[in-house]
């Protein structure tokens, strides 16, 4: 554009002026587009200005503005969506599959709060909509940003698309200054049918179910496509708020409805377990005539103060649960049984099925769990299909519960071919030929090849680059598979990813000439890899793919240890599974002996330790941030002993943890504070001997405010 200097000619002063101009201009363009529906520039110009802004920021990172357009709302980039970090994590829900599970949930809530059986406790019950969740941020009544859930922490900016959804107001009157409304985007059955009809007429692939159609329609780079797909939105939760919406879940939902949101009309307030279950049955009986898909009922503690007291586990609230509807079933023929080798060496049998529709989704594979399951036993060794093992050629009953992988429940012996023989589970690894053994008490047979088994190495690498781990853009399962088998570009272990860029010229040329690749894709990949050299501690721990250590355990470990050095030294010291380091591991809430053993082993088996060391040479690990840095107990280790009177032990523990403290079960020299209620015995005594701070409950409550 006239008057604009090339980015490389700008000095710092000129760059500062230009960044301000771009922030203002793009801000105006956003407002004009999003709220006045009258764009002041076309998309190409908008994208050009954003790119110019990013290029200047890349040259002068210290000049990046707080209101930088690259951080805030924006149009989709040509190659994807802008990432959005949620101001408050978008959580998922724990599941209940039976009335007993729900009863247990209610008991758990009561126990946590220390409520006696006769004290009233109100819950809401509402349909669980089978769509995808969306967070809408309003400031001063204007919709500024819509973001998908993504991994819960970071989602995608789909503002332009959300603005095309009729149920989503662009402006709110008399709304709190800051209001984040959360809910579900979904599609009505009739709209889904019409859409699929159009898809097929246009020679396009139909969508498998309304949920997929809704997700595919919302995540369109061209908002005009989204506009042509009739999406809807139910509000059921919220994130950031400048003032409360009400004192109860029900009153907050009413408030949202008054502001103009659709709130599901089947939401009820229930005063007892019996009422909750009755409403569940009622919703279940209407399921077929609702006109949209639901997959269960969500119960939530109604009183919002109690919700706050209950708080969250790592990914789910303690105050809510999803009561799922029973699985959907179908019958089909099992054509073959294949055995896959996972990243921990587990041999997993997979059923290849004659494709069949189960609850609207075409299913052609199902898990068979392990060799016992095929023979007819469950994980505890109990018979589940008396005399009915699963064989190739059998007719089987397939079921799907919610989003989970399809499973095989039963076999129809009347249709079994006369010449069928029992399935013989392999005792060697189908990938590398090593022995596959079952440890006593383990239902899973594992390949003993370790990192020399290509299947295990590849699966470990895929895990390493997966979403919750290093999440390297442009390096997914497909690329890992290809790079692993490529002799010159070879990526055989995580460290190789970080030396990819340093391969010899011939290999790099080969990389750039790969099908569908070019100079640009290769450079983008290198940049994405470089960006990940600085890695947050929880991601690194999770990425190592240690058995039993999932994403939330990795987070727990990172919170506890804070730094890689502390984490590693503890595991090295815990070598013989005794001593203070081992005790420390076991004192962490959520870490049991099985996980602790696996962690220790990962740092003591030669091959695995060497692999970790080679990887660490390329990384800078970002320490875990204490959850609440400015709390007086952040980073402290606390032991509760005796009876507490104002709250239950579970609540006290959860409160302390949410304020950044570690809670331990035993007093040692590493303890900072002991909170002793009436009846405290040996632990309080030991604390006094060690000269530790001992507080009573009142002093403790004063300390944490
Ligand atoms: S409440 C902190 N209510 O189910 C709890 N979720 O399996 C926030 N969902 O991610 C969720 N209907 O996408 C809630 N009435 C409802 C829902 C609902 C559907 C979805 C939501 C969530 C997922 C968890």
């Amino acid at each position: 554009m006239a008057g604009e200097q090339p980015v490389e000619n700008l000095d710092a002063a000129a760059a500062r002026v230009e960044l301000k101009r771009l922030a203002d201009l793009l801000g105006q363009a956003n407002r004009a587009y999003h709220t006045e529906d009258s764009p002041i520039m076309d998309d190409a110009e908008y994208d050009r200005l954003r790119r110019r802004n990013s290029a200047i920021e890349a040259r002068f990172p210290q000049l990046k503005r707080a209101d930088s357009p690259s951080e805030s709302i924006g149009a989709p980039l040509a190659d994807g969506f802008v990432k959005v970090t949620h101001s408050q994590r978008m959580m998922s829900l724990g599941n209940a599959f039976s009335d007993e599970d729900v009863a247990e949930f209610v008991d758990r809530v009561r126990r946590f709060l220390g409520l006696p059986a006769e004290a009233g406790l109100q819950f809401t019950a509402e349909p669980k909509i089978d769509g995808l969740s969306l967070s809408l941020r309003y400031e001063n009544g204007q919709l500024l940003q819509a973001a998908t859930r993504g991994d819960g922490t970071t989602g995608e900016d789909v503002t332009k698309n959300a603005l095309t959804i009729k149920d989503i107001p662009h402006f709110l009157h008399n709304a709190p200054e800051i209001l984040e409304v959360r809910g579900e985007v979904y599609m009505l059955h009739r709209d889904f049918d019409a859409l699929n009809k159009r898809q097929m007429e246009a020679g396009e692939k139909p969508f498998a179910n309304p949920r997929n159609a809704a997700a595919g329609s919302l995540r369109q780079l061209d908002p005009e496509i989204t506009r042509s797909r009739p999406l809807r939105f139910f509000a059921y939760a919220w994130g950031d708020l400048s003032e409360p919406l009400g004192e109860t879940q029900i009153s907050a939902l009413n408030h949202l409805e008054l502001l103009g949101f659709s709130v599901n009309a089947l939401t009820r307030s229930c005063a007892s377990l019996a009422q909750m279950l009755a409403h569940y049955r009622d919703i279940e009986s209407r399921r077929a005539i609702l006109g949209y898909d639901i997959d269960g009922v969500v119960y939530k503690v109604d009183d919002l103060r109690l919700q706050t007291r209950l708080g969250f586990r790592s990914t789910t609230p303690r105050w809510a649960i999803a009561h799922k509807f029973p699985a959907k079933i179908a019958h089909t023929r099992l054509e073959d049984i294949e055995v896959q080798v996972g990243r921990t060496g587990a041999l997993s049998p997979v059923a290849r099925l004659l494709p069949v529709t189960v609850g609207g989704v075409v299913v052609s594979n199902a898990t068979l769990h392990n060799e016992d399951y095929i023979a007819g036993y469950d994980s505890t060794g109990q018979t589940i299909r008396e005399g009915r093992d699963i064989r190739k050629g059998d007719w089987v009953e397939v079921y799907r519960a919610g989003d989970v992988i399809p499973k095989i429940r039963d076999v129809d012996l009347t249709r079994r071919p006369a010449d069928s023989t029992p399935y013989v589970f392999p005792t060697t690894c189908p990938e590398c030929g090593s022995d596959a053994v079952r440890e006593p008490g383990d239902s899973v047979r594992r390949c003993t090849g370790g990192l020399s088994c290509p299947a295990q190495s590849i699966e470990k690498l895929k895990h390493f680059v997966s979403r919750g781990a290093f999440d390297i853009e442009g390096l997914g399962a497909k690329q890992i598979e290809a790079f692993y088998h490529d002799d010159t570009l070879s990526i055989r272990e995580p460290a190789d990813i970080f030396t990819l860029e340093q391969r010899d010229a011939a290999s790099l040329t080969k990389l750039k000439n790969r099908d569908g690749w070019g100079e640009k894709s290769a450079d983008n990949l290198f940049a994405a890899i470089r960006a990940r050299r600085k890695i947050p501690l929880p991601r690194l721990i999770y990425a190592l793919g240690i058995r039993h250590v999932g994403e939330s355990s990795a987070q727990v470990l990172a919170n506890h240890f804070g730094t890689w050095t502390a984490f590693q030294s503890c595991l090295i010291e815990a070598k013989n599974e005794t001593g203070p380091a081992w005790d420390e591991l076991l004192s962490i809430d959520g870490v049991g002996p099985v996980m602790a053993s696996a962690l220790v082993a990962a740092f003591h088996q030669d091959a695995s330790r060497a692999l970790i060391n080679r990887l660490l040479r390329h990384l800078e690990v970002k320490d875990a941030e204490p959850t609440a840095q400015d709390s007086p107990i952040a980073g402290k280790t606390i032991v509760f002993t005796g009876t507490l009177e104002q709250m239950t032990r579970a609540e006290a523990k959860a409160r302390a943890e949410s304020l950044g403290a570690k809670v331990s079960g035993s007093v040692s020299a590493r303890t900072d504070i002991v909170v002793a209620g009436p009846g405290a015995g040996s632990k309080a005594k030991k604390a006094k001997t060690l000269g530790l701070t001992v507080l009573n409950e009142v002093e403790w409550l004063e300390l944490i405010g």
Side-chain angles (χ1 to χ4, degrees), residues 599-618:
L599 282 162
V600 171
F603 283 77
H604 290 281
Q605 284 161 358
D606 291 341
S608 144
R609 194 185 49 218
L611 179 139
I612 294 175
N613 287 340
R614 284 193 295 274
L615 167 66
L616 259 291
R617 275 185 222 136
H618 302 283

Side-chain angles (χ1 to χ4, degrees), residues 300-504:
K300 299 173 185 168
V301 169
D302 194 31
D303 184 329
L304 298 184
R305 270 173 324 190
L306 296 184
Q307 285 192 5
T308 310
R309 279 179 60 191
L310 285 152
F312 295 87
R313 277 178 240 97
S314 56
T315 56
T316 56
R318 286 194 192 85
W319 44 264
I321 200 161
H323 188 180
K324 292 295 200 63
F325 292 136
K328 299 164 179 167
I329 62 164
H331 295 90
T332 189
R333 197 176 65 232
L334 189 157
E335 314 252 74
D336 201 3
I337 296 177
E338 277 173 27
V339 175
Q340 294 177 344
V341 183
R343 78 185 146 82
T344 59
L347 266 47
S348 319
V350 177
R352 303 286 176 219
L353 304 168
L354 187 66
V356 63
T357 307
V358 190
V361 177
V362 178
V363 167
S364 47
N365 303 311
T367 172
L368 287 166
H369 305 283
N370 53 51
E371 56 188 300
D372 284 353
Y373 193 82
I374 297 177
Y377 305 101
D378 72 6
S379 57
T380 66
Q382 296 240 339
T383 308
I384 46 169
R385 276 178 269 104
E386 185 72 61
R388 299 197 302 289
D389 61 323
I390 296 173
R391 302 181 184 183
K392 284 185 201 174
D394 272 343
W395 277 81
V396 292
E397 186 176 292
V398 185
Y399 71 101
R400 259 181 70 235
D403 272 343
V404 294
I405 313 161
K407 294 183 180 141
I408 287 179
R409 181 148 55 192
D410 211 351
V411 175
D412 184 352
L413 289 186
T414 63
R415 300 177 79 175
R416 175 168 281 177
D419 58 351
S420 96
T421 50
Y423 177 72
V424 181
F425 203 86
T427 51
T428 54
C429 172
E431 297 285 342
C432 72
S434 304
D435 285 344
V437 300
R438 264 179 89 166
E439 300 290 335
D442 195 352
S443 54
V444 173
R445 192 172 281 279
R446 283 173 209 280
C447 161
T448 53
L451 292 167
S452 70
C453 171
Q456 284 189 55
S457 301
I458 292 181
E459 291 309 314
K460 273 195 189 300
L461 280 164
K462 286 184 189 166
H463 171 79
F464 185 85
V465 298
S466 67
R467 193 145 98 164
F470 272 65
D471 193 16
I472 298 173
E473 213 163 325
L475 194 60
K478 219 171 77 194
Q479 288 81 10
I480 286 290
E481 196 86 50
F483 284 141
Y484 186 91
H485 293 294
D486 189 310
D487 284 339
T488 50
L489 292 170
S490 72
I491 292 183
R492 299 277 157 83
E493 61 172 69
D496 296 339
I497 294 173
F498 297 94
T499 57
L500 189 64
E501 204 174 346
Q502 289 138 33
R503 301 285 193 277
D504 60 63

Side-chain angles (χ1 to χ4, degrees), residues 33 42 159 178 188 218 275 312 402 421 441 501 504 511 579 584 678 696:
Y33 182 93
D42 63 23
T159 313
I178 294 176
L188 289 180
L218 184 67
Q275 284 185 11
F312 295 87
T421 50
E501 204 174 346
D504 60 63
L511 172 69
E584 176 176 359
N696 64 29

Side-chain angles (χ1 to χ4, degrees), residues 137-142 174-179 241-243:
R137 188 174 175 92
Y138 291 85
E139 285 180 24
N140 299 310
Q142 280 196 357
N174 301 323
E177 196 178 315
I178 294 176
L179 168 62
L241 287 178
S242 53
E243 57 191 270

Side-chain angles (χ1 to χ4, degrees), residues 91-93 95 126-130 132-133 149 183-184 236-237 298 300 312 317 319-320 322:
M91 296 289 184
S92 59
L93 291 170
N95 290 325
E126 65 196 288
K128 181 170 187 300
I129 315 298
D130 198 5
L132 68 152
S133 46
R149 191 176 106 99
E184 203 84 351
Y236 52 65
V298 184
K300 299 173 185 168
F312 295 87
W319 44 264

Side-chain angles (χ1 to χ4, degrees), residues 10-64:
L10 296 174
D11 61 14
R16 189 189 302 275
V17 173
E18 182 63 354
L19 284 175
K20 166 145 190 5
R21 184 183 75 94
L22 290 170
D24 290 346
L25 199 55
L26 286 164
Q28 277 172 28
N30 277 333
R31 277 189 296 281
Y33 182 93
H34 292 307
T35 57
E36 284 132 35
D37 272 341
S38 61
I40 53 170
M41 62 179 72
D42 63 23
D43 284 0
E45 172 68 355
Y46 181 87
D47 289 341
R48 189 186 71 80
L49 293 177
R50 282 183 71 97
R51 280 198 302 275
R52 179 171 169 80
N53 182 73
S54 300
I56 301 175
E57 285 177 351
R59 267 199 71 204
F60 300 98
Q62 74 283 9
L63 295 184
K64 186 162 167 177

Side-chain angles (χ1 to χ4, degrees), residues 555 558-560 562 623-631 633-636 657-662:
Q555 186 72 53
N559 289 350
H560 179 88
D623 296 348
E625 289 155 19
T627 355
Q629 261 158 330
D630 45 4
S631 101
I633 57 167
K636 300 241 156 83
E657 282 170 351
S658 73
L659 291 169
K662 301 169 207 164

